[in-house]
Amino acid sequence: MNKILTFFMLIMIGFCQTLTIFTAANSGAKQFGRILEGYRFCIRFATVYVLFLTLADFVFDKQILSIFLDAKKYPMLPALAPPI
């Protein structure tokens, strides 16, 4: 599960790092309106992204787990068990 969360959080980490540079550049240029606009964009994107990931996690939970885990190696996991 940690691998899955880390994989999906890479995009959010990238946005945070980009917003830091964006804020510094626009602060130096005295473009405070653009900072607020960039912040609002990141908040909207993060909200939509997290909602999408939550929905995808509920709908495609077995498929996502099967990417990272082998059903033969972990037969005790009910999420990877074949349907009866």
Side-chain angles (χ1 to χ4, degrees), residues 9-44:
M9 287 305 296
L10 287 175
I11 292 174
M12 295 311 303
I13 292 169
F15 262 91
C16 290
Q17 291 174 340
T18 303
L19 184 61
T20 302
I21 296 168
F22 179 82
T23 302
N26 284 295
S27 179
K30 307 284 192 254
Q31 297 289 326
F32 301 111
R34 289 188 70 196
I35 295 172
L36 187 58
E37 182 181 334
Y39 176 75
R40 287 181 180 157
F41 172 80
C42 285
I43 292 295
R44 279 187 248 129

Side-chain angles (χ1 to χ4, degrees), residues 4 18 24 35 38-39 43 50 56 60 63 65 71 73:
I4 297 169
T18 303
I35 295 172
Y39 176 75
I43 292 295
V50 168
F60 301 110
Q63 292 84 357
L65 276 176
K73 189 174 180 182

Side-chain angles (χ1 to χ4, degrees), residues 69-76 80-81:
L69 298 175
D70 184 20
K72 293 176 185 172
K73 189 174 180 182
Y74 300 99
M76 70 295 264
L80 295 177

